[in-house]
Every structure is written in C-alpha cells, then in structure tokens.
Amino acid sequence: MEKFKEPIYVTKPFLPPLADFCQGLEEIWASQWLTNNGPQLQKYKRALGEFLAVENLSLFNNGTLALQLGLQGLEITGEVITTPFSFVATTHALHWNKIRPVFCDIEPEYYTLDPEKVEAAITPWTTAILAVHVFGYPCNMEALADIARRHNLKLIYDAAHAFGVKVEGQSIANYGDLSMFSFHATKLYHSVEGGLLVFPNPALGAQVDYLKNFGFKNEVEVVMPGTNAKMNDLQALMGLQVLKYVPDLIAKRRAISDLYRERFADVPGIHMPPILPENVDFNYAYFPVEIDEKEFGMSRDQLYQKLREYNVFSRRYFYPLICDFACYLHVPVADPLTVARGVASRILTLPIFFDLELGLVEKISDLIVFIHNDCTTQRGCL
Ligand code: T4K
C-alpha cells in the first residue's frame, strides 16, 4: 500500500471560519479589553453556562491550572485516590497541591476507575477521589458517589475529554463536587488553550475566582496567595465561536467512529470498547483500540511504528502509566494495577477529527487490515 502523501495526525484542531473570527477580533479591538474578565470572557461564560445548563462555573487559561486550583479551592489535603491511566496533568495537579496520589486500578471495558479497588484503597488519610472520564467514557458515577458519601470524601472529576457528554439527558458536568474540562486545541472542543471548572457549591466560585486572579478581592485587598490562571478574551472568542459547532463536531466524530468499528469488526486482535448504554450521549472524542499481539500478529508498538512509516501518526494514549514516569516512581501503589498495565501496553488511539474525510478513514482502516494480513501471512512479525 502507498504511503499517505500528507501526514495524518491523531487529531487536528477545528477552526471556525476566519471571517467570523476576524469579526470577533474587531469587537475586541473596539473594546480594547484583552483579558481580566473582559466582555468576550463574560459573554463566553454565559454561553457555556447555557450550553451545559449549569450555574456555577469558572474559566481558566488551561485545564491543568483549573484542576490544580479547583483542588486548592476545595481544600483537599492528605491522600487522593486516582487513576494511573490518564494524561500526566491529572496527577501533577495533585502534586502541586502537596497531595499524595494513590494510584488505583481501572475497569477493563471503559478504562475508568474501578470502584471496588477505590474502596479498598481508602485509608484514614484519604480525603477525595479524583476520577477521569478518560476518552470521554463516563466513570461509574453512581458507585463512586456512593463510596464518597459513605466515607465522607470529595468526588472530583477530570472531565478533560468529556465536553458534550450527557448522562440521563444532563451534562456530565453535573456530577460530583467538581468537574474540570480542558479546552486545549487537541480536544473535541477548544478555545486554543483553556480550562473550565463546574461545581454545585456557589461558594467555591468565589474561592477559585480569587485563586486565578492573584487573590484579589478588590483593588486593595488580597485575600489569599493566588496565581495568574485567567482565560483571556482572545481565547474566549475562539471558545465562543467553536461552541456553535459542537453538535457538528460530535456528529462527524460519530460517523468516523462508526466507520472504524464497522471496518475492524472482524479483524482479529483489534478490540474496541463496547457501545455505551442508551442513557449516555457520547462525544466520540477519541478512538481507542486495544491491539492483542497474538491475535493481530504484531504488537501495539510495532503497529504504531508501521503506521508512522505510512505517515499515520496514531498515539499511545495513555502509555506509560502515570505511576511509571520517573517523577512518580516513588509513589506507593494501592494494588498491582493489573488491568491498567495491560491496557497501557495494548492501547492505541487512531486519528479522529472533524476535517478527517471518511474516505481517509477507510484508507487508514484498509492500511491496518493490510498490515495485519501481511504480517500474519508472512508469519514473521512475532
Ligand atoms: N487531564 C487530562 C485527562 C488530559 O487529557 C489533559 C490534557 C489535561 C488534564 C490537561 O489539560 P490542559 O492543561 O492541556 O488543558 C495533548 C494536549 O496537549 C493535552 O491537552 C491533552 N490532555 C493530551 C491528551 O494531548 P500531546 O503532548 O499529546 O499533544 P501534541 O502536541 O503531541 O498534539 C497531538 C497531535 O495534535 C499532534 O501530533 C498534531 C496535532 N496538533 C496539535 C496541536 C497542539 C495539531 O494539529 N495542531 C495543534 O495546534 O498532549
């Protein structure tokens, strides 16, 4: 098979029509407000509140700082049970708050925290659970909420991947004590860089708003040693404009996901998470597959390399596990993390983004099938 002429990356940011963005820029130029809660930011906050049907929200310049300051605002200390199968920023947010992460295993189907393992990992120092809706798959929120209630723990969701996901008809932002969404350019929905916190307790809003703005209450009062983590008005403009397209972005990803699923249905060694139950409106943010070396005829890493030779840049999200990065090797783990280790060794996320034509999805799928056939007929790969 021929190499793709242009590189195909795992994702590509969606950009609104340039003319629309320029019109928005004109508004910013006219107002001369670039940051510090300017008019675009305020408009954006209102629009997001309406989109998600939530009242308490706060915008940040990125998701990592949003999570970091959210944890600080909730005054989380001691130990927090979390997943090793995520982007490293999930644990970094704990580290920056001097909180000890306790890594706990995940469930094999959707890769989210395993509630039974969470309960077993609770110690007298545990104050919260930091769960991740990884790839947009909702955590087992009922079970986690029950554990949190019984053990008096805060329940925090890293929902970086889950913008647009609904459970029982309501936004996934409505669950737990705090949810963080990332609006980084590589996400389904973005504001170039950006982060959002959503929470049920209005008092937390004041805390995180102080924290992201140096702790200023007014011109002469600093009520806490805050930092600078504000979203600016140019980011807000991008966020506002991309918001209009969220249904289209999700619909296209769904079509891509359906096509991959159809193409891989009978290919040995490519395992995909099951279709979600009907009470979930999914966002199809990522397309993860697990490669079983024996069945597929080649390891995940060999396939990843082979695809690169053909100009297809899949990613091994999330390998290595966070607990295996040098800076977290000293952290004790609550259990052997058998499921997470297995998944991290097999996972591969394939290209999925708005601009990706279905014809190219077919070609990428054909290439993967071709690599499998070539390898198993030559019997030389393993
Ligand atoms: N929690 C979770 C669960 C997260 O996944 C993340 C971020 C966070 C917390 C923290 O949120 P933020 O602070 O980032 O808001 C990317 C993103 O940088 C990161 O936001 C994201 N998760 C993570 C899963 O993916 P990389 O290092 O893989 O990105 P990079 O630069 O390799 O980009 C991936 C591909 O996207 C490139 O190969 C090409 C394409 N690309 C990328 C950019 C930036 C473009 O085509 N255009 C672009 O502008 O981390």
Side-chain angles (χ1 to χ4, degrees), residues 9-13 62-64 86-87 89-90 132 158 160-161 180 182-187 193-194 286 315 317-318:
Y9 296 109
V10 69
T11 189
K12 191 196 245 187
N62 61 57
T64 306
S86 179
F87 190 61
T90 310
V132 180
D158 177 336
H161 304 167
M180 180 280 285
S182 162
F183 297 161
H184 184 265
T186 54
K187 297 291 184 294
E193 292 251 13
Y286 292 81
R315 290 295 288 266
Y317 294 138
F318 288 99

Coordinates of all heavy atoms in Angstrom, one line a residue, residues 9-13 62-64 86-87 89-90 132 158 160-161 180 182-187 193-194 286 315 317-318, ligand 1:
Y9 N -2.4 13.1 11.6 CA -2.1 13.1 13.0 C -3.3 12.6 13.7 O -4.4 12.5 13.2 CB -1.8 14.5 13.5 CG -0.5 15.0 12.9 CD1 -0.5 16.0 11.9 CD2 0.7 14.4 13.2 CE1 0.7 16.4 11.4 CE2 1.9 14.8 12.6 CZ 1.9 15.8 11.7 OH 3.1 16.2 11.1
V10 N -3.1 12.3 15.0 CA -4.2 11.7 15.8 C -5.4 12.7 15.9 O -6.6 12.3 16.0 CB -3.7 11.3 17.2 CG1 -3.3 12.5 18.1 CG2 -4.7 10.4 17.9
T11 N -5.1 14.0 15.8 CA -6.1 15.0 15.9 C -5.7 16.2 15.1 O -4.5 16.4 14.8 CB -6.5 15.3 17.3 OG1 -7.7 16.1 17.3 CG2 -5.4 16.0 18.1
K12 N -6.6 17.1 14.9 CA -6.3 18.4 14.3 C -7.4 19.3 14.8 O -8.6 19.0 14.9 CB -6.5 18.2 12.7 CG -6.0 19.4 11.9 CD -6.6 19.2 10.5 CE -5.6 19.0 9.5 NZ -6.1 19.1 8.1
P13 N -7.0 20.5 15.2 CA -8.0 21.4 15.8 C -9.0 21.9 14.8 O -8.7 22.1 13.6 CB -7.2 22.6 16.3 CG -5.8 22.3 16.1 CD -5.6 21.1 15.2
N62 N -5.9 27.2 31.2 CA -5.8 25.8 30.7 C -6.4 24.9 31.7 O -6.8 25.3 32.9 CB -4.3 25.5 30.4 CG -3.4 25.6 31.6 OD1 -3.7 24.9 32.6 ND2 -2.4 26.4 31.6
G63 N -6.6 23.6 31.3 CA -7.2 22.7 32.2 C -6.4 22.3 33.4 O -7.0 22.0 34.5
T64 N -5.1 22.2 33.2 CA -4.2 21.8 34.3 C -4.4 22.8 35.5 O -4.5 22.3 36.7 CB -2.8 21.8 33.8 OG1 -2.7 20.9 32.7 CG2 -1.8 21.2 34.9
S86 N -4.2 8.0 32.6 CA -4.7 9.4 32.2 C -3.5 10.2 31.7 O -2.3 9.7 31.7 CB -5.3 10.0 33.4 OG -5.7 11.3 33.1
F87 N -3.7 11.4 31.3 CA -2.7 12.3 30.9 C -2.0 12.7 32.2 O -2.7 12.9 33.3 CB -3.3 13.5 30.2 CG -2.2 14.4 29.6 CD1 -1.4 14.0 28.6 CD2 -2.2 15.8 30.0 CE1 -0.4 14.9 28.0 CE2 -1.3 16.6 29.4 CZ -0.4 16.2 28.4
A89 N -1.1 15.3 33.6 CA -1.5 16.5 34.3 C -2.5 16.2 35.4 O -2.6 16.9 36.4 CB -2.2 17.5 33.3
T90 N -3.2 15.1 35.3 CA -4.2 14.7 36.4 C -3.4 14.6 37.7 O -3.8 15.2 38.7 CB -4.9 13.4 36.0 OG1 -5.4 13.4 34.7 CG2 -6.0 13.1 37.0
V132 N -11.2 10.1 36.3 CA -11.1 10.7 35.0 C -12.1 10.0 34.1 O -12.2 8.8 34.0 CB -9.7 10.5 34.4 CG1 -9.6 11.1 33.0 CG2 -8.6 11.1 35.4
D158 N -11.9 14.7 36.6 CA -11.2 15.2 35.5 C -12.0 14.9 34.2 O -11.9 13.7 33.8 CB -9.7 14.6 35.5 CG -8.9 15.1 34.3 OD1 -9.5 15.5 33.3 OD2 -7.7 15.1 34.4
A160 N -11.6 16.3 31.3 CA -10.9 17.0 30.2 C -11.3 16.5 28.9 O -11.4 17.3 27.9 CB -9.4 16.7 30.4
H161 N -11.7 15.2 28.8 CA -12.1 14.6 27.5 C -13.6 14.6 27.3 O -14.1 14.1 26.2 CB -11.6 13.2 27.4 CG -10.2 13.0 27.6 ND1 -9.6 11.7 27.8 CD2 -9.2 13.9 27.6 CE1 -8.3 11.9 28.0 NE2 -8.0 13.1 27.9
M180 N -13.6 19.2 35.8 CA -12.7 20.0 35.1 C -12.8 19.6 33.6 O -12.6 18.4 33.3 CB -11.3 19.9 35.6 CG -10.3 20.8 34.8 SD -9.7 20.1 33.2 CE -8.6 18.8 33.7
S182 N -11.0 20.4 29.8 CA -9.9 21.0 29.1 C -10.4 21.5 27.7 O -11.0 20.8 27.0 CB -8.7 20.0 28.9 OG -7.9 20.5 27.9
F183 N -10.0 22.7 27.4 CA -10.3 23.3 26.1 C -9.1 23.5 25.3 O -8.9 24.5 24.6 CB -11.1 24.6 26.2 CG -12.4 24.5 26.9 CD1 -13.0 25.6 27.5 CD2 -13.1 23.3 27.0 CE1 -14.3 25.5 28.1 CE2 -14.3 23.2 27.6 CZ -14.9 24.3 28.2
H184 N -8.1 22.5 25.4 CA -6.9 22.6 24.6 C -7.2 22.3 23.1 O -8.1 21.6 22.8 CB -5.9 21.5 25.1 CG -4.6 21.6 24.5 ND1 -4.2 20.8 23.4 CD2 -3.5 22.4 24.7 CE1 -3.0 21.1 23.0 NE2 -2.5 22.0 23.8
A185 N -6.3 22.9 22.3 CA -6.5 22.8 20.8 C -6.7 21.3 20.3 O -7.4 21.1 19.3 CB -5.4 23.4 20.1
T186 N -6.2 20.4 21.0 CA -6.3 19.0 20.6 C -7.6 18.3 21.0 O -7.8 17.2 20.6 CB -5.1 18.1 21.2 OG1 -5.2 18.3 22.6 CG2 -3.8 18.6 20.6
K187 N -8.4 19.1 21.7 CA -9.7 18.5 22.2 C -10.8 18.6 21.2 O -10.7 19.5 20.3 CB -10.1 19.1 23.5 CG -9.1 19.0 24.6 CD -9.1 17.5 25.1 CE -8.2 17.3 26.3 NZ -6.8 17.5 26.0
E193 N -6.2 27.2 24.1 CA -5.9 26.6 25.4 C -7.1 27.1 26.3 O -7.6 28.2 26.1 CB -4.6 27.1 26.0 CG -3.4 26.7 25.2 CD -2.5 25.7 26.0 OE1 -3.0 25.1 27.0 OE2 -1.4 25.5 25.5
G194 N -7.4 26.3 27.3 CA -8.5 26.8 28.2 C -8.9 25.7 29.1 O -8.6 24.5 28.9
Y286 N -12.2 10.4 21.3 CA -11.1 9.7 20.8 C -11.5 8.4 20.2 O -12.7 8.0 20.4 CB -10.2 9.4 22.0 CG -9.5 10.6 22.6 CD1 -10.2 11.4 23.5 CD2 -8.2 10.9 22.3 CE1 -9.6 12.6 24.1 CE2 -7.6 12.1 22.9 CZ -8.3 12.9 23.7 OH -7.7 14.0 24.3
R315 N -1.5 7.6 18.4 CA -0.8 7.9 19.7 C -1.1 6.8 20.7 O -2.2 6.1 20.6 CB -1.3 9.2 20.2 CG -0.8 10.4 19.4 CD 0.7 10.6 19.5 NE 1.2 11.0 20.7 CZ 1.4 12.3 21.1 NH1 1.2 13.3 20.2 NH2 1.9 12.6 22.3
Y317 N -2.1 6.9 23.8 CA -2.7 7.5 25.0 C -3.3 6.4 25.8 O -4.2 5.7 25.2 CB -3.7 8.5 24.6 CG -3.3 9.8 23.9 CD1 -4.0 10.3 22.9 CD2 -2.1 10.4 24.3 CE1 -3.6 11.4 22.2 CE2 -1.7 11.6 23.7 CZ -2.4 12.1 22.7 OH -2.0 13.3 22.0
F318 N -3.0 6.0 27.0 CA -2.1 6.7 27.9 C -1.0 5.7 28.3 O -1.2 4.9 29.2 CB -2.8 7.3 29.1 CG -3.6 8.5 28.6 CD1 -4.9 8.4 28.4 CD2 -2.9 9.7 28.4 CE1 -5.6 9.5 27.9 CE2 -3.7 10.8 27.9 CZ -5.0 10.7 27.7
Ligands
T4K1 N1 -6.4 15.8 32.1 C1 -6.5 15.0 31.1 C2 -7.2 13.7 31.2 C3 -6.0 15.5 29.8 O1 -6.0 14.7 28.8 C4 -5.3 16.7 29.8 C5 -4.7 17.2 28.5 C6 -5.3 17.5 30.9 C7 -5.9 17.0 32.1 C8 -4.7 18.9 31.0 O2 -5.5 19.8 30.2 P1 -4.7 21.1 29.5 O3 -3.9 21.7 30.6 O4 -3.9 20.6 28.4 O5 -5.9 21.9 29.1 C9 -2.1 16.7 24.2 C10 -2.6 18.0 24.8 O6 -1.6 19.0 24.9 C11 -3.2 17.9 26.2 O7 -4.1 19.0 26.3 C12 -4.1 16.6 26.3 N2 -4.6 16.4 27.6 C13 -3.3 15.4 25.8 C14 -4.2 14.1 25.8 O8 -2.9 15.6 24.5 P2 0.2 15.9 23.5 O9 1.6 16.1 24.1 O10 -0.1 14.5 23.1 O11 -0.1 16.9 22.2 P3 0.7 17.1 20.9 O12 1.2 18.5 20.8 O13 1.6 15.9 20.6 O14 -0.6 17.1 19.9 C15 -1.1 15.9 19.4 C16 -1.3 16.0 17.9 O15 -2.3 17.0 17.6 C17 -0.1 16.4 17.1 O16 0.6 15.2 16.7 C18 -0.6 17.2 15.9 C19 -2.0 17.7 16.4 N3 -2.0 19.1 16.7 C20 -1.6 19.6 17.9 C21 -1.6 20.9 18.2 C22 -1.2 21.4 19.5 C23 -2.3 20.0 15.7 O17 -2.7 19.6 14.5 N4 -2.4 21.3 15.9 C24 -2.1 21.9 17.1 O18 -2.2 23.1 17.4 O19 -0.8 16.4 24.6

